[in-house]
Every structure is written in C-alpha cells, then in structure tokens.
C-alpha cells in the first residue's frame, strides 16, 4: 500500500519554500511614486509623499531665492514649492497640461513641514526590488548632489532615477535657507 502522507511531503515543502521566497521578495521591495520631470523619469519612496495635487496657482514670494517657485494655499495651509529642476540641472518643460504638485513632509527637528515640487506628469506607484536598483556610478556620484540620488532602476523599458527626496529638499529652517 502506498503511503500518501509521505508522498505529499515534498510538494508541501516546495510550496512552503515558494511562500517564504515570495515573502522575502515582498520584504525586499520598496514602493516608489514615479513622475516625469524635464523628459526624465524620477522616483521617490511613497512613504515620503503626503499628497499629489492638481496644479494650482503658485503665488510668487517677493525677494525669495530663485530655488523657491512660490507658495500655494492648500486647504488653508501655505506650502512652499521648490524648483528641483534647476537644482538637478534640468530645463523647464513647456507643456503644463499634466503638471501636478507632489507634496512631501520634510523634518524640521521632529516637526514635519510640507514642501512641494512641480512634476510634469505623475506616472504611477511602482514596486522596485533592491536587486533592480543600481547604485550611482562614480561619475554620477561625484557631483554636488551625490546624497540626493539613491540609484537607478530599469522598469517597463525605461530608466528611473531614484531620489532621496528628504536630502534633496533639506531646508535649514533656522535661517530659512535650502541646502544647495
């Protein structure tokens, strides 16, 4: 007589191994919001994103630094809009129909402050596994913004530049200056 209990044991172990492998892969993945800026696709960890808004009128601030686009009023809260295009050496985009404002929370000594950027277009929310992320080469990492880039990832036939948005938007709130 055939013992079916033992015959099923290897299949059970294979399914357990597959389940553990899937759990490991999911734990190894990070979720990124991807968006376009000056013809490049960029990504930031979704945990840093507070909200994504349709573009609204940006009020210019007299005598403000050229890095500050202006301020927007969102539900009674004033949010500074930072120009990361110039910070990253990118050109302006002329097509504004798909523009969105991405709002992040930047820490100010344990007091989160909202800061926004303008994206040409928000693409989607994408899971990227750590083995898909290439560290920036020495050439890329040698610029003044080496801490601002987490790496590069290939996804659906396009290259995503993954940014450390907290580093990129670091603001010295004591003197009101951005780090650049």
């Amino acid at each position: 007589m055939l013992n079916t209990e033992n015959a099923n044991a290897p299949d059970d172990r294979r399914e357990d191994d597959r389940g553990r492998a899937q759990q490991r892969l999911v734990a190894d993945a990070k979720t990124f919001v991807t968006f376009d800026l000056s013809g490049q696709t960029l990504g930031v960890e979704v945990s840093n994103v507070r909200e994504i808004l349709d573009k609204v009128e940006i009020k210019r601030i007299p005598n403000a630094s050229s890095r500050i686009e202006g301020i927007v009023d969102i539900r009674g809260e004033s949010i500074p809009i930072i120009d990361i295009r110039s910070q990253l050496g990118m050109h302006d985009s002329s097509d504004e129909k798909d523009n969105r404002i991405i709002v992040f929370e930047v820490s100010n000594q344990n007091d989160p402050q909202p800061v926004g950027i303008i994206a040409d277009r928000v693409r989607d929310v994408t899971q990227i596994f750590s083995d898909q992320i290439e560290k920036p080469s020495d050439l890329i990492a040698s610029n003044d913004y080496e801490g601002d880039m987490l790496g590069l990832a290939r996804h659906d036939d396009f290259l995503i530049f993954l940014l450390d948005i907290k580093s990129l938007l670091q603001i010295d709130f004591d003197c009101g200056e951005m780090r650049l």
Side-chain angles (χ1 to χ4, degrees):
M1 179 170 234
L2 190 60
N3 182 349
T4 58
E5 267 185 48
N6 290 338
N8 289 334
D11 288 335
D12 290 341
R13 275 187 248 134
R14 272 185 255 144
E15 284 192 30
D16 284 345
D17 289 344
R18 275 188 237 132
R20 278 194 291 271
Q22 286 175 340
Q23 287 175 347
R24 187 178 70 241
L25 285 177
V26 170
D28 193 35
K30 290 186 177 181
T31 306
F32 290 84
V33 171
T34 58
F35 59 96
D36 292 341
L37 194 67
S38 299
Q40 302 292 328
T41 301
L42 307 174
V44 294
E45 284 189 59
V46 73
S47 61
N48 295 318
V49 177
R50 180 172 114 177
E51 59 189 317
I52 299 172
L53 307 165
D54 288 335
K55 189 171 178 198
V56 296
E57 182 182 0
I58 298 172
K59 304 287 186 185
R60 302 287 174 201
I61 302 169
N63 297 321
S65 162
S66 63
R67 297 172 304 239
I68 299 176
E69 293 270 335
I71 224 164
V72 295
D73 180 38
I74 305 297
R75 296 179 298 277
E77 182 178 27
S78 297
I79 299 174
I81 304 298
I82 306 303
D83 176 17
I84 67 167
R85 279 186 219 304
S86 63
Q87 196 171 344
L88 295 172
M90 298 176 156
H91 60 81
D92 283 337
S93 174
S94 59
D95 185 17
E96 296 185 6
K97 70 177 176 112
D98 291 327
N99 283 8
R100 298 290 182 268
I101 295 174
I102 304 175
V103 179
F104 304 95
E105 294 287 338
V106 178
S107 287
N108 172 23
Q109 301 173 354
N110 298 324
D111 181 24
Q113 301 288 320
V115 177
I117 65 166
I118 298 174
D120 295 339
R121 175 178 87 135
V122 174
R123 284 184 171 264
D124 59 14
V125 176
T126 306
Q127 262 196 338
I128 300 176
F129 299 98
S130 63
D131 63 351
Q132 293 175 293
I133 299 173
E134 300 173 30
K135 295 296 177 198
S137 71
D138 290 339
L139 179 64
I140 295 170
S142 67
N143 67 31
D144 292 337
Y145 307 110
E146 69 178 280
D148 300 337
M149 185 181 287
L150 297 174
L152 307 167
R154 286 177 177 72
H155 185 73
D156 293 339
D157 297 326
F158 58 90
L159 192 63
I160 303 170
F161 294 89
L162 303 174
L163 301 176
D164 179 349
I165 199 69
K166 288 181 179 178
S167 174
L168 189 67
L169 295 178
Q170 187 60 49
I171 297 174
D172 181 354
F173 287 94
D174 292 333
C175 66
E177 290 290 320
M178 290 185 54
R179 177 204 55 83
L180 285 178

